[in-house]
Amino acid sequence: MSRVYNFSAGPAVLPEEVLKEAAEEMLDYQGTGMSVMEMSHRSKAFDQIIKDAEQDLRDLMGIPDNYKVMFLQGGASQQFAAIPMNLMKKGKAGYIITGQWAKKAYQEAKKYGEAVELASSADKTFSYIPDCTDLPITEDMDYVYICQNNTIYGTVYKELPNTKGVELVADVSSCFLSEPVDVSKYGVIYGGVQKNVGPAGVVIVIAREDLIPETPAVENTPTMLNWKTQADADSLYNTPPCYGIYICGKVFKWLKKMGGLEAMKALNEKKAAILYDYLDQSELFKGTVEKKDRSLMNVPFVTGDKDLDAKFVAEAKAAGFENLKGHRTVGGMRASIYNAMPIEGVQALVEFMKKFEAENK
Ligand SMILES: *Cc1c(COP(=O)(O)O)cnc(C)c1O
């Protein structure tokens, strides 16, 4: 068996320990004589799995009791619609456009109400986070929406925007559980898990109870997108993504064992610094975003020469560094170094980049 260093932006690397455990339990989950994939979502065994997963997530993030945790399907993209459908009571919301995912959420919201662009960094290919200290936010807005870590462009909000008292809704898909978070600063915090938490097919929505409406703001909201239905049923209104939730649960336990989110933050900072420090002194490779807004999770870089970029990606792949090609819309390279990427992977990548630089001067 040989495992590569997988720098994919998502679905992405998972802790080896978790995969091994899942493999061991594949045919017989804890004496049940069946795989979690084969088991009823109403069974005692699964009930324990989803309850433990929720409790471990609550412990890790310090989620206050007045927040509901929902394990749903449809990915982050489905929540682009569910958010306005549930929350747009006054019919208006503000969006900060820091990349493609924020823009998609904004465009989706426009179908259900008035979505206002509060700020954008499109003028410089989303290579920075706009100043969010004094945005044109008005009282008649139901929420302010951000994409906290911009997976494609490699930027992150180091500080949350001043929302002037309006509820904050954040897509944290690509920075989920990468560092401690004060959940109480958000009305809703959500993310698809396939970047930093688990296998594709699960999206976790953490919403303050009083924001979950008795009936959705938008008429004829599909039952499956009605947060109240999902929250009241403890994510078991219909069959949830059982196996995915089980793996997420194992990742939560792994994170606890690793020392929790403070420890992950320290490790992630250390990993990112190895890569950024090299980029900052390299004569061949350059980081593409403003230093102050650099993501700890997604690190885009270029040589400035498309052919050389392609050569690097090909040679890196041959050497066991997978998925370093940048997003198809931006080109260049991107190394996603989520929680489960070992520090050795980042060190080895930098060594490989140094060698490539020496050979291609
Ligand atoms: C990947 C990603 C999405 C889209 O996720 P899906 O689960 O594929 O819908 C949305 N937002 C961010 C920040 C992402 O990284």
Side-chain angles (χ1 to χ4, degrees), residues 164-186:
K164 303 183 176 176
V166 175
E167 300 297 345
L168 180 64
V169 174
D171 173 359
V172 298
S173 296
S174 51
C175 56
F176 224 158
L177 305 177
S178 63
E179 58 182 311
V181 47
D182 182 352
V183 175
S184 71
K185 292 197 170 134
Y186 302 79

Side-chain angles (χ1 to χ4, degrees), residues 74-78 80 101 147 149 151 171-174 192 194-195:
S77 300
Q78 180 136 284
F80 294 171
W101 296 119
C147 177
N149 184 82
T151 326
D171 173 359
V172 298
S173 296
S174 51
Q194 74 273 25
K195 310 289 161 68

Side-chain angles (χ1 to χ4, degrees), residues 84-92 142 210-211 213 215-218:
M85 285 179 146
N86 283 280
L87 296 182
M88 266 192 178
K89 273 184 280 193
K90 292 180 268 187
K92 192 170 171 182
D142 288 301
D210 62 289
L211 293 176
T215 49
V218 171

